[in-house]
Amino acid sequence: MLTMQDALLALTRYWTEQGCMVVQPMNTEVGAGTLNPATALRVLGPEPWRVAYVEPSVRPDDSRYGDNPNRLQTHTQFQVILKPEPGDPQELYLGSLRALGIDIDRHDVRFVEDNWASPALGAWGLGWEVWLDGLEITQFTYFQQAGGMTLDPVSVEITYGMERIIMALQGVDHFKDIAYAPGISYGEAFGQAEYEMSRYYLDDADVAAQRGLFEAYAAEADRLVEARLPVPAHTYVLKCSQAFNVLDSRGAISTTERAQAFARMRRLAHSVAKLWVERRAELGYPLGGVDVPPAGAVAAQSPQSGTDQTLAFEIGVEELPPAETTRAADAVRQALTEKLAATRLRHGSVTVMSSPRRIVALVEDIAPREDDDEQTVRGPRLSAAYDADGAPTRAAQGFARGQGIDVAELAPLSAGGGEYVGYVKHVPGRPAGEVLATILPEIVTGLRAEKNMRWRSPGLSYSRPIRWITALLGAEVVPFTVADLASGRSSRVHRTAAEPVITLSTATGYVETLRRHAIEPDAAVRRDDIVAQAARLAASAGGRIDFEAESALVDEVTNLVEAPVAILGTFDEKYLELPAAILTTVMKKHQRYFPVMDGDGRLLNRFVTIANGACDHDAVRAGNGAVLRARYEDAGFFWRNDLATPLAEMKERLARLTFETRLGSVAERADRIAAIASDLAARVRLGGDDAETLRQAGRLAKFDLGSELVIELSSLAGVMAREYARQAGEPDAVAEALYEMELPRQAGDTLPRSRPGALLALADRFDLLAGLFAIGSEPTGSSDPFGLRRAALGVINILRAHPGLEGLTLREALAIAASHQPVPTDARLPGQVLDFVRRRFEQLMLEQGHPAANIRAVAGLVDSPVRAERTLDHLAVLSKTPDFQELEAAVQRIRRIIPAGATPGYDPALFDSPAEEALATALEKAHAGLRGEGDLRRFAAEAAVVVHPVTVFFDEVLVMADDPAVRANRLGLLAAVHDLAAGYLDWKELS
Amino acid sequence: MLTMQDALLALTRYWTEQGCMVVQPMNTEVGAGTLNPATALRVLGPEPWRVAYVEPSVRPDDSRYGDNPNRLQTHTQFQVILKPEPGDPQELYLGSLRALGIDIDRHDVRFVEDNWASPALGAWGLGWEVWLDGLEITQFTYFQQAGGMTLDPVSVEITYGMERIIMALQGVDHFKDIAYAPGISYGEAFGQAEYEMSRYYLDDADVAAQRGLFEAYAAEADRLVEARLPVPAHTYVLKCSQAFNVLDSRGAISTTERAQAFARMRRLAHSVAKLWVERRAELGYPLGGVDVPPAGAVAAQSPQSGTDQTLAFEIGVEELPPAETTRAADAVRQALTEKLAATRLRHGSVTVMSSPRRIVALVEDIAPREDDDEQTVRGPRLSAAYDADGAPTRAAQGFARGQGIDVAELAPLSAGGGEYVGYVKHVPGRPAGEVLATILPEIVTGLRAEKNMRWRSPGLSYSRPIRWITALLGAEVVPFTVADLASGRSSRVHRTAAEPVITLSTATGYVETLRRHAIEPDAAVRRDDIVAQAARLAASAGGRIDFEAESALVDEVTNLVEAPVAILGTFDEKYLELPAAILTTVMKKHQRYFPVMDGDGRLLNRFVTIANGACDHDAVRAGNGAVLRARYEDAGFFWRNDLATPLAEMKERLARLTFETRLGSVAERADRIAAIASDLAARVRLGGDDAETLRQAGRLAKFDLGSELVIELSSLAGVMAREYARQAGEPDAVAEALYEMELPRQAGDTLPRSRPGALLALADRFDLLAGLFAIGSEPTGSSDPFGLRRAALGVINILRAHPGLEGLTLREALAIAASHQPVPTDARLPGQVLDFVRRRFEQLMLEQGHPAANIRAVAGLVDSPVRAERTLDHLAVLSKTPDFQELEAAVQRIRRIIPAGATPGYDPALFDSPAEEALATALEKAHAGLRGEGDLRRFAAEAAVVVHPVTVFFDEVLVMADDPAVRANRLGLLAAVHDLAAGYLDWKELS
């Protein structure tokens, strides 16, 4: 049996053989190996660096007294840094798994997108979780930025989670059962420390003392930056971070404090990083510099056109994120099509496919050469081309010489109204290979993803490293280079294949060749295959998979594998006692498994996972099953603890969670939400059962934030409230309202259906907006830690879904919310929040396709978003009708003539023309028809009567009469007409 | 080449093969691997534990900016704990050296006494430094106590100093040149950190912040002890310790603060240790318990006496401290002789020898058996033994039966004036083997050293573990067991010998056998051998060794080896530029080398080291030379820095060194010493050149405490002051006075010769005494951190050496010193200090052999210790003379009769007898002869005239006359006589 210490030694040995230096763990508490200066500082600057080390990583928040089988306040990371990234880090990594005795041919090893960012460090990178039979065993990251500094060269960071790996290898279910050393278990060696440090972090650490330490450490770090000593400064940044983490695990950090502390630590980390880089430069880079990889070299070979005129073009990448796999195919298809179109190369169909490791373009029937072309080349003016004798001037001769033609070949031509001499030049088409050798590299360099990274290849930037390029035109290589890569005829198949690199003899049959090597490049085929395999397995277990509901998951899984192999797994039936939402959330979100239902839609104790390629099914099934069991054990542990806890007790825990220093605890916020909802309910005259439901749900508002399960799986907030409320015997309506108050959780999410739920959800968001604006914490730039933008959108969408609440204006709702805040609020606050909501509304309407001008015209109505949107809808229809166009023209004509501040109103006694009389009569008629109510459509209908009188008025009446009283009277009349229209739209915006 | 990381891996591998678990370094700064809980806590309690780990050990005080080739603020320890100690840890350790690729057969590996104690941890142990060719590479300790708790079982702690080992193995002179990993040097990897952390620890750490941290950590540790969480509590104790070390390296810790901080940390460490032990018990000792080694088993074999009647008795030990080696031989000689004398076993000569690894007793001509003996056994009283008929009574019969004899064998006997019956019992002697089997184990168990330890053998306690017992009487084993050891016929020779365990066939020729195996058990022979070999080598280099001066060193070296092999080494001539005191201090004190001089006593660049047994002389010479070079590089580095520093600047540095919080900096203390010395000089009317010398030396007082060399080698304080003062061009007398002011440095040390030197030395000590008493920090129990006892003895000895200063009384000198203190002093202070000095004086005089009564009699004179001692000397002589005895008798007679408070004085008019007249006359004569001056001898001479008159007075005069006036007059006369004597002695004490 491989003990934990054997494993650490095996990894140490393996990586030293790969040229890594071994250093010791950091001698102050760190949350991850990344924080050790051997990573955090060494990845900066130009010096090469290869290092491997063990890092006991302290996560106070993961403290569980040693009870939880999978979670420890101190877990053991094995950390590797390869700087610069060596071009084949995944292969090196797989070698390390072999060094651990893992037979990777039997197991399902996958690289699953996982990007990493540490705001506290100003650091980020792109990469993967590495899964071994569904178990995350390693974090693999191309480090792009650290300490706020862009990294050049890029390092690869490989972080092994040792406890997980060893638990899987030893087949034990609890970390305490790990054989750590011969004859001594993990629990025997570290169980007591795990318990006691958990006690410390969760219960006993002195909050005031830790705050003091945080300040002292930060001050010391500042001083050391001043003193230009990055090494000790970094140490104090780490100490800061640990103090912060302890405070956090003690529940003593509010959201605002968190943001402030992060900003401070980020600033410090940046100063330290900058200083380190400067100091290394001053020291003359003791470890030297990194060689840029040489440009790729193409085998000297001139492209020749044979009879096979198919292009097979493959861009080989390290595992792309699923979304990028699809996006890449689209982008390459578009680029290739456009670029080919810009040439004169005739070709047949273009097919583009993609998988996690390749983007493939196949073009058929490519012409051997481009078509030839003729271009007219313009020379000097005709008048200057020949002298009086008709002999070519020096200008004409010079032009002909420059073009390499005889002067006699020049002929007159007309252009732009002038007369010139010129000639028609014959442009022969280039050979197909030459054309493609120009286009294809542009496609490679043009690849861009949502998030892009750099790696060793100079100048390239993409979602993940591009590692090879296959480009065959028939049997010949299309020769080009991109950075350090040269096109060629080899491709790569499974890393565990007997022959992982294959050579293609010809472009034709490319897909078949890949399939022969068990690679399916076509996503559509893979998708169908996955559905078919999974459905078959589900059926074999007497169940089915709801592929329609899981469509997004199928899409994702399709892009996680190149050779889908469905495997049916089971889990212990006892876990079915847990709510299905928990089980499926874990399966889908964490594990990308398909849940299997029976005919009645009830969850079975089965799952289907899709492995990548041939493997030992039993081993992979067992591994994935063990992972699920561990996750369910976790969840069940929390679930049972929660069920044993009265709702009131969970609710009480909220008092210990700080929401925001000035805005109090989460408990206080929950109380405010209840109070605001109650006020809103009174405003909309909520009565009967709904009123009682609102009262009861308000009393319990947010209680599930005090449940262990939601603390663990925060996406289940609301869902668990409903569940726990039901289990505790609360009425269904109350349970439902508690669920609905969390809706919508993200864009496109379900909205509350009940009125109590809607009012609670609104109260939640109004409280958030009013409170945060009151303390001046409105979002700035891209920073929106409290999700105020989402809250504003939620308000709009909830109101849109509840026409019955239209009577509620935002301004009054916000005034109510403001009145419940524990801090002084300004009278201008509702207006400020309204402006904020208006911008969200405008954005939303733009996304829905409304013209910007229309949106601006109704923006003033956003106090009732529903009314504003309805106006917008009416406007969309009306603005296409001639009647409305005339009406609008009339209103605009008036708007332009009346001065700012003109008082509406008139004295009929001062009229001196029938046109005035007629307009006044029409206006009164319109007024009577509208009676101050109605929407834009009704306005358009009722106000149509004024259109003609307005036209006549302007034709017959001189507004600017000499008599000031008459003039004022006429302007007053027009202003009255305008006033009638002004409440429906901001007409100015339409002009 | 073995890189540093290879070496760490090799050790890790080796020790895991010995069953050690591997853990990670502590994730908070620690000063040594011992502090890691894997040692500090795990050595406590009954559970077994074997562990090995790397520990980067932070010693802020060792910061040197990376400049010093051998000293680092963070050095790398490799730490091993074997609990319980396995019985052969030295052998296991030697195996680890082999695992490092060290050919220990070629090298000189020695175990040199080094006991370890950490007051801050309440921990201590006994053991060795392991030397490899003179280089200390490992600390090897039998851990006896930790956290104030006695350890049972005892652990072995092995701590490798990796940088030193690797520097030696790689043959590099600077730690930065160590090949750490392939292609990367230590300096490249850690040079910047070494510089920056040095900057932090020496210059930049914020003192106030660190004080705050110390307090915060200590408070947290206290709280965690309260909460019964020893693991996090221990972490905070470690953090305390680091904060303390940082403060210390910043020079911010005064002696008092140090004592307080240590007391606090010790108390905390004890609480944590106690709590850990309790908690482990509560947890039911998860790692189980330790088996007690089984009692030794002797091969079944009955001792038989052959013709060879020699006893060879060898107690085999691990390397004893040199002083214990000698002491052990004496103790065994005495015990064996006494115990044999208590038997009736006749024997020839007893020879006892010892070496570091064995104590050997050889006894010749042992009789085959004890002599027989006859004992008279007393029965009942004769009167009760026979009835009237003369027949034996039941009492007599019962007695005879009880003794197993016939009643007829009883005969009358007289005892204690009574008549009894009884008989003479014949006691046959036991066989010699049986006698020895009783005596020898008692000798083993009776062994005791100055400091004793326990190891695995239950019940044994000695300086170092006893590992084997050889006991042969002729060809037979004397069979007995002691704890887990059984006597036998095997012995051990060199651990690297081809056959390290040898079997002895017979006791005769024991010494020759050992010699054949290159072991010399006889210290006298070894000593002669060392002197002869070393002298020969010195001569071969044209030099000589002053063996007389180095007598103590020869004695020490004699007991460091079993097979002395002298090796002549050289060092670079350039180091001869350093003062000889530095060179020889390093050679003798640190390395136990003999310095070699030329005929004129000038140091040559040669040394002689004594290796233990056969080795590769070139390798050992090279190793020892490299060690010396490293040490001289260190010293030279400091020396040159110091020479480049003006004396004033060194002196200025004293302002940064706190002497004692309330008593100010070392600079302030130096100023006080100068001022006090000046006042004392005025008091003794020091004039001329001496006064000027005193002034100039006072100005520079203690400046060398600011020199780097003295900070490093504190034993050179004073020596370097003289050296640097001379180099700076100060007058010789000033330089000498600066040296002398530090004298005496320890008991038996040289004393100041010049008066300026003596006055400065006195001022130094008076300042110390007055200051510390003023703040209530007088020594208590065995704690005397400021060395006040030594200071008091110094005062006495300086005054004894300077009769010219006799006029100076302690009381007035202390009043002067008190007047210069920066704190308020009590008028009683000189008296208190005087009491303290008196106790030292009494102790000193006792040690010099004066009778306690005499000492008490002169103790009152200690205000002038010289006078007190002179009186004591006189008393010693006088008290043997009849004249003085009579005089004393007279004084005592008077003393006993006069009441307390009798007023001396008389009125001759009231005399009414010639005896009174005669006494008064004699008294006046004595007074006239003494004139209030003189010492006891003069008193004895002059006062002799009163002896006879006193006798006559008492014979003829009734002191207690009826007339009160006459009575008072007579008592007054006697009181006057007594008064004359009282100033010379406290006569009461002599009675």
Side-chain angles (χ1 to χ4, degrees), chain B residues 442-474:
Chain B
E442 291 170 7
I443 291 175
V444 176
T445 54
L447 280 172
R448 284 295 177 283
E450 280 270 301
K451 276 184 98 63
N452 298 289
M453 55 168 279
R454 288 165 309 102
W455 63 101
R456 77 199 289 262
S457 301
L460 292 185
S461 171
Y462 188 43
S463 174
R464 293 293 182 278
I466 300 168
R467 295 300 189 188
W468 79 89
I469 300 169
T470 316
L472 285 178
L473 179 58

Side-chain angles (χ1 to χ4, degrees), chain B residues 165-410:
Chain B
I165 294 178
I166 300 300
M167 283 172 70
L169 294 183
Q170 296 185 352
V172 298
D173 294 343
H174 198 295
F175 75 88
K176 288 186 177 172
D177 297 328
I178 289 172
Y180 195 92
I184 192 161
S185 74
Y186 201 111
E188 286 164 346
F190 303 115
Q192 184 180 351
E194 194 56 38
Y195 170 77
E196 291 192 11
M197 295 310 299
S198 292
R199 278 281 308 278
Y200 183 66
Y201 291 137
L202 298 178
D203 308 314
D204 289 85
D206 188 72
V207 169
Q210 294 291 333
R211 278 196 213 281
L213 291 177
F214 181 90
E215 288 302 324
Y217 295 149
E220 202 69 345
D222 274 329
R223 286 185 51 256
L224 292 164
V225 167
E226 278 300 304
R228 295 181 55 75
L229 297 172
V231 176
H234 179 69
T235 304
Y236 277 98
V237 175
L238 298 182
K239 288 178 192 287
C240 257
S241 173
Q242 164 76 359
F244 175 83
N245 290 344
V246 176
L247 284 168
D248 203 15
S249 69
R250 292 282 283 116
I253 296 281
S254 70
T255 309
T256 311
E257 279 179 311
R258 179 181 316 275
Q260 286 168 349
F262 273 32
R264 190 161 180 188
M265 291 190 280
R266 190 166 47 238
R267 197 170 55 243
L268 273 170
H270 178 57
S271 303
V272 170
K274 195 158 153 291
L275 184 56
W276 167 267
V277 170
E278 286 170 19
R279 294 277 302 129
R280 295 303 284 180
E282 286 164 17
L283 293 170
Y285 301 124
L287 299 177
V290 165
D291 296 328
V292 174
V298 179
Q301 175 202 44
S302 61
Q304 301 190 356
S305 305
T307 51
D308 178 358
Q309 285 299 116
T310 299
L311 170 72
F313 173 43
E314 180 184 271
I315 304 170
V317 291
E318 294 180 356
E319 279 78 353
L320 291 176
E324 292 301 339
T325 304
T326 306
R327 198 174 292 132
D330 293 344
V332 168
R333 185 180 301 111
Q334 184 179 350
L336 186 57
T337 308
E338 285 174 2
K339 283 177 194 294
L340 281 172
T343 70
R344 299 186 309 279
L345 189 64
R346 276 176 290 128
H347 60 86
S349 65
V350 174
T351 310
V352 180
M353 296 173 286
S354 65
S355 78
R357 285 187 73 204
R358 67 200 76 230
I359 309 145
V360 175
L362 300 172
V363 185
E364 292 178 2
D365 299 328
I366 293 180
R369 306 184 64 87
E370 276 181 304
D371 292 340
D372 293 349
D373 194 14
E374 296 197 332
Q375 291 174 1
T376 300
V377 185
R378 193 178 76 179
R381 281 185 175 275
L382 183 61
S383 55
Y386 301 98
D387 63 14
D389 302 329
T393 60
R394 295 184 58 168
Q397 285 172 337
F399 171 71
R401 198 165 48 245
Q403 294 291 323
I405 55 170
D406 192 279
V407 74
E409 290 180 55
L410 296 180

Side-chain angles (χ1 to χ4, degrees), chain B residues 2 7-8 10-11 95-102 160 162 165-166 169:
Chain B
L2 186 83
L8 292 172
L11 286 176
S96 76
L97 296 186
R98 289 203 185 87
L100 282 174
I102 299 173
Y160 302 77
M162 294 307 299
I165 294 178
I166 300 300
L169 294 183

Side-chain angles (χ1 to χ4, degrees), chain A residues 430-449:
Chain A
R430 295 165 295 170
E434 194 180 320
V435 174
L436 293 171
T438 308
I439 289 173
L440 300 185
E442 291 171 6
I443 291 174
V444 176
T445 55
L447 280 172
R448 284 293 177 283

